[in-house]
Amino acid sequence: EAAVTQSPRNKVAVTGGKVTLSCNQTNNHNNMYWYRQDTGHGLRLIHYSYGAGSTEKGDIPDGYKASRPSQENFSLILELATPSQTSVYFCASGDPGQGMAEQFFGPGTRLTVL
Amino acid sequence: GDSVTQTEGLVTLTKGLPVMLNCTYQTTYSPFLFWYVQHLNEAPKLLLKSSTDNKRTEHQGFYATLHKSSSSFHLQKSSVQLSDSALYFCALSDGPNYNVLYFGSGTKLTVEP
């Protein structure tokens, strides 16, 4: 079974503060992804990575940075957190292959920005 | 660009009835479609997937058929159970590199006794 873990699981931050969400996968997948989930919007892609050292912008990258220091780890960074970034964040990993590859999701991080 | 549309935001049914959750997509590439299910306070998990036109794919009592002619991949089940209450997402793998999934907005299915 695929294993994607996230930390912290819950986070309360103050407006203007820096927040780092961490993700680790033991699947040896090349690709990793960060999504946010809000009611009515489904899962929206923030950043993704093809491998160590690479980061790519997804559909909603503004206000977020990403870092992929190794095959296993992928971080999402909010340099100046705002209340609009209050959400549930999911990390996922996968290998696209020929297009039918599954993405495996972590348990999520609930972020509240006050 | 690539996109996925799920028209029902909320579906409520009585146990034992059939269900169909709609999914249509738009892409200029060869389509790869997925259904993910997310139970309350859990991570999304793959339910089923397909890239073959007009072939029914099944898993855990759910089934779907990709119809390229109508750009659809509706999810069905003949008899829903209480445990089927969850959020269901349709997703499309983007072309031409298929590195990214485009998710629909999701349908919340609630099954009542």
Side-chain angles (χ1 to χ4, degrees):
Chain A
E1 179 83 18
V4 180
T5 57
Q6 295 181 229
S7 63
R9 294 293 313 278
N10 291 280
K11 173 75 176 178
V12 178
V14 296
T15 298
K18 182 177 181 178
V19 176
T20 300
L21 307 183
S22 299
C23 178
N24 178 274
Q25 56 109 352
T26 59
N27 311 315
N28 199 32
H29 287 153
N30 288 321
N31 287 19
M32 295 186 74
Y33 308 84
W34 275 108
Y35 296 89
R36 64 177 284 176
Q37 182 175 30
D38 304 286
T39 304
H41 290 279
L43 291 161
R44 293 184 289 174
L45 183 64
I46 306 170
H47 285 287
Y48 62 104
S49 168
Y50 296 120
S54 93
T55 60
E56 304 290 332
K57 293 181 179 180
D59 297 323
I60 54 165
D62 293 346
Y64 303 94
K65 292 183 179 179
S67 173
R68 181 87 181 271
S70 65
Q71 179 82 341
E72 299 79 19
N73 295 295
F74 190 39
S75 297
L76 185 68
I77 303 151
L78 290 66
E79 295 277 5
L80 294 169
T82 68
S84 64
Q85 294 175 312
T86 293
S87 186
V88 179
Y89 292 85
F90 286 98
C91 176
S93 74
D95 269 336
Q98 297 303 307
M100 289 306 296
E102 175 181 356
Q103 286 188 18
F104 296 88
F105 285 81
T109 295
R110 185 173 296 276
L111 174 65
T112 302
V113 183
L114 302 175
Chain B
D2 294 358
S3 65
V4 174
T5 300
Q6 294 180 249
T7 53
E8 309 101 351
L10 181 63
V11 172
T12 302
L13 287 172
T14 301
K15 183 179 72 171
L17 291 179
V19 66
M20 184 170 83
L21 306 183
N22 291 314
C23 173
T24 56
Y25 64 89
Q26 181 175 349
T27 182
T28 56
Y29 300 97
S30 184
F32 294 83
L33 273 297
F34 304 77
W35 276 101
Y36 281 78
V37 58
Q38 183 181 24
H39 288 94
L40 188 63
N41 295 324
E42 294 185 8
K45 293 187 297 186
L46 181 68
L47 181 57
L48 46 79
K49 61 184 180 182
S50 179
S51 62
T52 306
D53 199 12
N54 297 319
K55 181 180 178 182
R56 175 165 153 162
T57 182
E58 300 188 36
H59 186 62
Q60 297 181 340
F62 286 91
Y63 59 95
T65 303
L66 177 60
H67 292 296
K68 294 183 181 181
S69 61
S70 58
S71 299
S72 67
F73 190 57
H74 305 321
L75 182 68
Q76 297 180 264
K77 191 175 186 184
S78 58
S79 175
V80 294
Q81 303 303 310
L82 296 176
S83 59
D84 295 327
S85 295
L87 192 53
Y88 292 83
F89 292 103
C90 183
L92 168 71
S93 189
D94 75 317
N97 297 315
Y98 306 106
N99 281 297
V100 168
L101 288 179
Y102 292 103
F103 284 87
S105 55
T107 298
K108 183 178 181 181
L109 174 64
T110 301
V111 181
E112 297 177 335

